Amino acid sequence: MVIYGVAALALCMLVGTLVGELLGVAVGVDANVGGVGFAMIMLVLVTSWLRSKGKFPAASEQGVLFWSAMYIPIVIAMASTQNVVKAVTGGPMAILAGLAALVAGGALVPVLTRIGKPAQPLAPLTAEEKQEA
Amino acid sequence: MDVFASVFEDNGLLVAFALIGALMLFSGWLSKTLTRGRLQGSAIAILLGLILAYWGGAVTGGEDGLADFAALSGLSLMGGAMLRDFAIVSTAYGVDLREIKRAGPAGALSILLGVLVSFAAGSVIAAAFGYTDAASMATIGAGAATYIVGPVTGTAVGASSEVIALSVAAGLVKSVVVMVGTPLIAPLIGLNNPKAAMAFGGLMGTTSGVAGGLAATDKRLVPYGAMTATFYTGVGCLLGPSLLYVTLRALVGG
């Protein structure tokens, strides 16, 4: 049933968020530390374990895949609710500081990817996949 | 007219679904006709979303972009943290854990470096604009990390409320420029594989920025970038008011 997939996803997210909050309390910061990351790892582990036992059929899978397909629309909704006015009217210093963080961080990506084994680029998207994305 | 408005307000989430669907349809059409598919439909849609958010905020004077219109308030549920994180987690389905393990050290290092580099860049720019005391520099530097780290640091080190507001603005700018800029810089920095995406997520840290930027670049990279970005704000809140502030104070005095 589709709801099993949605429920598994929700459970992973709740547990992950809880772990992130507890970790935040443990290190004494007022923020969630890695909650989403823990939830993602849990989802991968739990679903691959269930699949190996044949207990995560295609219908359950649909419950997860639906939300994955809703990701981009949700991000667009997120973009449309950002406080862009405050970002733009924050003055040149705020704009420069934000830009500098992007440029400096971006420049370090090629440096960091050199650590360890080199990675293979993903296969290019087909035109159809591009439109779907 | 009243009936019209109340139906929209009572069914906010559905209005958001319909509106975003229409926006994506329009963006897909723009992508095909204007850019011949070179700029992805989702990148255009995110850009349009931000422009509409600016317009909404400017017209209503609120803080939530388009969602400040009562009839469109469902957008803040659809695009809010709960559903956003739920959808991000779902993208991890089918991710190869070996890929994550292989990029583990680079990913972990990227978070530390990301906080450090943003903090340094932000505080140098703060100093250039005349905020030369350690508390202000640290707060604006922390804001260049994310708009959550800024106020957390500012409150802890006793920065003025004006400086804290500026640090939030810096963080908001960062999340917006990461959303818009990622697809543009992706080819330059080799952002086309899971490992680079993990490094990118850790270096940028802004969850909304990384979520939007990678969606506009290649959706398959999203889970990897989100995985590291999610640790960033926590690490920033940990280091900003402590190690980084103390180091900065030793460097500039006061």
Side-chain angles (χ1 to χ4, degrees):
Chain A
M1 288 223 284
V2 170
I3 184 65
Y4 294 155
V6 181
L9 180 58
L11 210 62
C12 287
M13 162 115 178
L14 287 171
V15 172
T17 307
L18 210 58
V19 171
E21 289 291 333
L22 289 175
L23 198 59
V25 171
V27 295
V29 297
D30 187 19
N32 187 300
V33 183
V36 171
F38 292 125
M40 291 167 104
I41 293 173
M42 240 181 83
L43 179 75
V44 174
L45 292 177
V46 167
T47 52
S48 67
W49 176 69
L50 284 174
R51 255 185 309 182
S52 72
K53 302 190 96 188
K55 295 223 167 115
F56 206 67
S60 308
E61 205 170 33
Q62 286 304 321
V64 180
L65 293 178
F66 170 77
W67 286 102
S68 178
M70 282 300 282
Y71 172 73
I72 286 180
I74 285 175
V75 164
I76 294 165
M78 174 194 82
S80 74
T81 57
Q82 297 291 302
N83 195 351
V84 182
V85 171
K86 195 164 182 189
V88 175
T89 54
M93 188 192 73
I95 293 173
L96 267 180
L99 266 178
L102 169 68
V103 171
L108 282 175
V109 171
V111 179
L112 279 173
T113 46
R114 247 173 250 154
I115 297 173
K117 273 188 225 148
Q120 295 299 318
L122 294 174
L125 288 171
T126 61
E128 203 175 296
E129 278 173 328
K130 251 188 186 169
Q131 281 317 316
E132 220 172 79
Chain B
M1 201 57 203
D2 275 355
V3 179
F4 193 76
S6 82
V7 167
F8 269 49
E9 281 172 45
D10 291 346
N11 299 285
L13 186 59
L14 306 186
V15 173
F17 286 156
L19 182 70
I20 297 297
L23 188 64
M24 288 187 73
L25 191 67
F26 179 59
S27 307
W29 176 78
L30 280 182
S31 158
K32 253 186 273 177
T33 49
L34 286 188
T35 74
R36 291 195 193 147
R38 239 179 307 165
L39 192 57
Q40 275 190 48
S42 47
I44 297 175
I46 289 169
L47 198 61
L48 286 178
L50 289 170
I51 293 169
L52 288 170
Y54 177 81
W55 176 69
V59 170
T60 63
E63 294 182 344
D64 297 319
L66 266 192
D68 287 323
F69 293 109
L72 303 179
S73 58
L75 283 171
S76 57
L77 176 57
M78 182 178 175
M82 178 175 72
L83 286 186
R84 183 198 66 194
D85 290 349
F86 194 55
I88 289 179
V89 172
S90 75
T91 62
Y93 186 73
V95 152
D96 191 349
L97 268 190
R98 279 171 304 178
E99 202 80 68
I100 287 165
K101 252 191 225 158
R102 211 182 309 154
L109 189 62
S110 74
I111 301 166
L112 283 176
L113 261 181
V115 172
L116 200 69
V117 164
S118 299
F119 186 87
S123 46
V124 165
I125 285 172
F129 277 82
Y131 296 93
T132 47
D133 60 298
S136 300
M137 283 175 72
T139 305
I140 292 164
T146 70
Y147 54 78
I148 297 172
V149 185
V152 166
T153 303
T155 312
V157 303
S160 69
S161 63
E162 177 219 343
V163 167
I164 292 180
L166 276 174
S167 79
V168 173
L172 285 170
V173 169
K174 183 183 183 183
S175 88
V176 171
V177 293
V178 172
M179 274 185 229
V180 177
T182 304
L184 304 176
I185 62 171
L188 303 174
I189 60 176
L191 185 56
N192 58 9
N193 60 77
K195 193 173 164 190
M198 278 182 80
F200 183 76
L203 285 166
M204 293 304 158
T206 145
T207 313
S208 40
V210 170
L214 289 179
T217 307
D218 184 342
K219 195 198 154 198
R220 295 170 298 175
L221 298 175
V222 167
Y224 302 100
M227 183 88 64
T228 44
T230 170
F231 286 93
Y232 185 99
T233 290
V235 172
C237 290
L238 187 63
L239 294 181
S242 57
L243 188 67
L244 294 176
Y245 171 63
V246 172
T247 313
L248 193 65
R249 203 178 45 184
L251 284 176
V252 301

